[in-house]
Amino acid sequence: MWNERYATDDYVYGTEPNDFLRAAVASVPPGRALCLGEGEGRNAVYLAQQGFDVLAVDSSAVGLQKAQRLAEDRGVRIETLVADLADYAIEPDAWDLITSIFCHVPASIRKRLHAEVVTGLRPGGVFILEAYTPAQLEWGTGGPPTAELMMTLDGLVEELDGLDFEEAVERERDVVEGRLHTGRGAVVQILGRR
Ligand SMILES: C[S@@+](CC[C@H](N)C(=O)[O-])C[C@H]1O[C@@H](n2cnc3c(N)ncnc32)[C@H](O)[C@@H]1O
């Protein structure tokens, strides 16, 4: 499904980084960054432009090819890995930054992944997440079609036990990030530090 969605010349989520990531990462010093479900690479390329050494993981080979093209266009290098997050093991104590931007996977996969996010960060490392909450179903301006794939603040705080939360909110905001994410949206935003 994602390969089909990405099989167009345009970047369906745009080529600019996610708004929350751009603001949240401003205070994070460059280091090793892991981008989960990174798709066409807008966030990975932005992080590389900020000096991060980036690995972008996604199950869509088409998306990651576009990520490499964007990196080349912007004159930076990123590493990409085609992998299903259901099978992907996050290297422990290895990352200064992990991002998850609108990366909606089934709850069983997400819970295991988030436990590995905590152990995958180096001490002082930062996790940045933005995702749609179940309230997004009423807005219909992007995101998955079922509540099971959405995230809540309470659920994330539980799944990410071990992080200190510097930002942790559910809010509504105008999301204008490519033609598939445009309009008023209901999101949860997390900046957590190990
Ligand atoms: C809404 S897109 C967001 C892409 C990117 N993070 C961004 O903000 O532009 C969700 C991404 O998650 C990826 N994805 C969904 N399920 C996945 C899985 N099980 N394993 C790896 N990637 C997955 C999709 O391929 C897609 O690129």
Side-chain angles (χ1 to χ4, degrees):
M1 188 275 270
W2 286 102
N3 276 336
E4 282 172 27
R5 186 168 284 183
Y6 289 145
T8 63
D9 284 338
D10 67 330
Y11 282 72
V12 300
Y13 299 110
T15 54
E16 293 305 307
N18 167 262
D19 293 333
F20 177 64
L21 177 133
R22 190 203 296 261
V25 86
S27 58
V28 181
R32 287 189 79 205
L34 171 66
C35 300
L36 300 170
E38 180 47 23
E40 301 163 303
R42 63 193 178 116
N43 304 304
V45 168
Y46 177 76
L47 292 174
Q49 289 177 304
Q50 309 311 305
F52 285 88
D53 180 9
V54 183
L55 171 62
V57 179
D58 201 286
S59 54
S60 170
V62 176
L64 291 179
Q65 279 160 15
K66 290 170 86 174
Q68 286 292 3
R69 197 189 320 148
L70 185 61
E72 205 178 309
D73 288 350
R74 300 268 169 97
V76 293
R77 293 175 68 87
I78 59 168
E79 193 182 341
T80 51
L81 176 70
V82 178
D84 187 338
L85 292 173
D87 309 319
Y88 181 69
I90 298 179
E91 186 186 346
D93 290 310
W95 304 97
D96 301 294
L97 173 66
I98 301 178
T99 70
S100 170
I101 302 297
F102 298 120
C103 177
H104 294 269
V105 293
S108 58
I109 299 171
R110 189 188 70 230
K111 286 177 185 174
R112 194 262 311 152
L113 203 61
H114 283 169
E116 290 187 13
V117 163
V118 176
T119 54
L121 289 170
R122 291 177 174 148
V126 166
F127 180 52
I128 294 174
L129 172 146
E130 182 169 59
Y132 287 118
T133 69
Q136 174 64 11
L137 291 172
E138 289 161 34
W139 286 104
T141 52
T146 60
E148 197 264 336
L149 290 169
M150 308 298 203
M151 294 173 227
T152 64
L153 180 57
D154 288 349
L156 287 169
V157 166
E158 207 171 292
E159 290 167 21
L160 295 165
D161 185 32
L163 299 188
D164 292 329
F165 296 102
E166 295 177 11
E167 293 186 49
V169 289
E170 282 188 14
R171 53 182 292 238
E172 287 178 7
R173 76 172 184 98
D174 293 318
V175 180
V176 183
E177 303 190 2
R179 65 182 157 83
L180 295 186
H181 280 176
T182 288
R184 197 80 182 150
V187 299
V188 54
Q189 298 174 331
I190 296 277
L191 193 169
R193 190 181 296 275
R194 184 176 178 192

